[in-house]
Amino acid sequence: MSTSKMRHSVDSSDIALFGQLDMVYNQLRFVEAEQNNTQFACKSSGRCCKIGLRVHMFECANIAYNIRQQYYLIMEDKGKETADKYMNATVDRLVDAMFDKDWTDDGKTTRFCAFYDNGCTVYGYRPMVCRAFGTVTHVDDYCPRERNEHGHIDYYSGSPIEEAIKSFQGLMQRYAASKDSGDNYDMVIYMPLGVLSFLLPDEQLGELYQKTDSKFWMSAEGWFNYRVHFTKLYGYDKEVLAQAAKDAGHDIVFDDVEDETLVEIER
Ligand code: SF4
């Protein structure tokens, strides 16, 4: 990954896609609300937030855009000093995550997510993988949700979920297609770095590159390589993804395993 092409920005066509992304999130919000009326409701333990996610740049862009919006809303409400404190604290937490010695590129770590602070600080615009966990996928043993007689939770599936996840993939694809290839917008990346690439100026990104482990600067090229549990269950087939990769001049880099609980994020 070239650092010179790591500084990113949001343009007006992106904002239209973010609106459509939010509509796809609405479908998961609806399902989540339904589930929270059942015995399998999320208990908000935060245990699933002990992770260092890798997500596509599209969702990093959406999070960064909303953080900036939040900054201006705080400024309007409480003044610039308070808004600056919010932004500095947000950036500091993201930068700190770039020094996580325990993080491995499957997302495992001993730390909480950079956005976790007694709850998700980006809840309204958190990525799809967080919404999908336990809502349309099974959960890991650490999750304290109630279990059914088979030791699992009941989660939602079926064609509406498939449509939502394929729409999500379609939006990543459209976002990627709207950018110059080579500008590092179409990749799956460590989320703190992806968000920082919209928030930090060039020089600070360069400094970060000098000071941090190369493991954080590895990416998987292409939306088709965003292969996580929910995209495997409901998204496009491997053959479709392989063809999209071929058309884009890239390779599929994921290596699926049958026991999907083994892998949280792949690249
Ligand atoms: S983005 Fe929010 S919900 Fe997702 S892992 Fe981070 S803190 Fe948890």
Side-chain angles (χ1 to χ4, degrees):
M1 184 191 304
S2 157
T3 51
S4 63
K5 292 198 172 175
M6 266 306 284
R7 178 72 179 94
H8 294 113
S9 58
V10 169
D11 64 33
S12 53
S13 63
D14 298 337
I15 295 167
L17 290 177
F18 297 159
Q20 292 180 52
L21 176 63
D22 202 47
M23 288 168 71
V24 176
Y25 287 164
N26 281 345
Q27 297 176 54
L28 273 283
R29 288 178 180 124
F30 176 78
V31 170
E32 194 176 355
E34 290 288 304
Q35 189 189 40
N36 281 337
N37 284 326
T38 73
Q39 68 182 100
F40 304 106
C42 172
K43 293 189 185 291
S44 302
S45 70
R47 290 182 204 169
C48 54
C49 296
K50 198 173 254 190
I51 194 165
L53 294 174
R54 300 172 66 99
V55 298
H56 190 268
M57 283 298 292
F58 177 46
E59 287 193 297
C60 294
N62 182 55
I63 292 169
Y65 171 74
N66 278 284
I67 287 172
R68 273 208 194 284
Q69 284 301 103
Q70 189 64 25
Y71 171 77
Y72 286 108
L73 290 172
I74 294 172
M75 189 186 294
E76 184 179 46
D77 187 33
K78 299 201 166 104
K80 186 169 182 309
E81 199 177 321
T82 308
D84 285 343
K85 271 189 197 157
Y86 158 77
M87 183 58 89
N88 291 339
T90 302
V91 167
D92 286 351
R93 278 202 303 269
L94 291 166
V95 169
D96 190 51
M98 295 290 294
F99 292 88
D100 182 352
K101 288 192 176 57
D102 296 330
W103 182 81
T104 52
D105 66 6
D106 58 1
K108 292 198 178 87
T109 176
T110 53
R111 293 190 187 192
F112 279 98
C113 170
F115 290 124
Y116 188 83
D117 185 13
N118 282 320
C120 178
T121 58
V122 294
Y123 192 76
Y125 37 96
R126 70 197 188 284
M128 186 64 107
V129 67
C130 307
R131 298 167 193 278
F133 183 79
T135 310
V136 299
T137 71
H138 63 66
V139 291
D140 298 271
D141 289 345
Y142 56 71
C143 178
R145 291 180 197 237
E146 278 187 37
R147 301 298 200 268
N148 59 26
E149 66 274 23
H150 306 293
H152 303 300
I153 63 160
D154 287 1
Y155 60 82
Y156 293 78
S157 61
S159 54
I161 307 298
E162 283 173 23
E163 278 169 32
I165 300 310
K166 284 180 180 157
S167 298
F168 169 74
Q169 289 178 306
L171 288 171
M172 285 194 292
Q173 185 176 19
R174 283 171 59 194
Y175 178 75
S178 72
K179 306 293 181 192
D180 285 342
S181 62
D183 276 354
N184 282 332
Y185 282 95
D186 187 16
M187 60 183 178
V188 181
I189 186 174
Y190 183 50
M191 182 170 68
L193 177 58
V195 176
L196 282 171
S197 73
F198 290 89
L199 299 178
L200 287 183
D202 276 347
E203 320 79 66
Q204 287 184 33
L205 277 172
E207 281 171 27
L208 199 60
Y209 179 69
Q210 297 297 330
K211 288 183 189 161
T212 53
D213 196 307
S214 57
K215 67 185 179 182
F216 298 113
W217 298 80
M218 305 296 287
S219 67
E221 297 290 334
W223 64 273
F224 33 79
N225 276 315
Y226 188 41
R227 187 79 168 157
V228 282
H229 193 51
F230 74 92
T231 60
K232 285 182 199 173
L233 279 177
Y234 307 108
Y236 288 115
D237 293 341
K238 234 173 139 177
E239 293 67 37
V240 175
L241 299 175
Q243 186 60 50
K246 199 173 164 199
D247 293 346
H250 290 298
D251 294 320
I252 288 294
V253 297
F254 54 76
D255 180 20
D256 284 2
V257 289
E258 286 312 306
D259 183 355
E260 288 151 333
T261 60
L262 294 177
V263 178
E264 182 67 26
I265 296 209
E266 299 159 345
R267 63 176 183 80

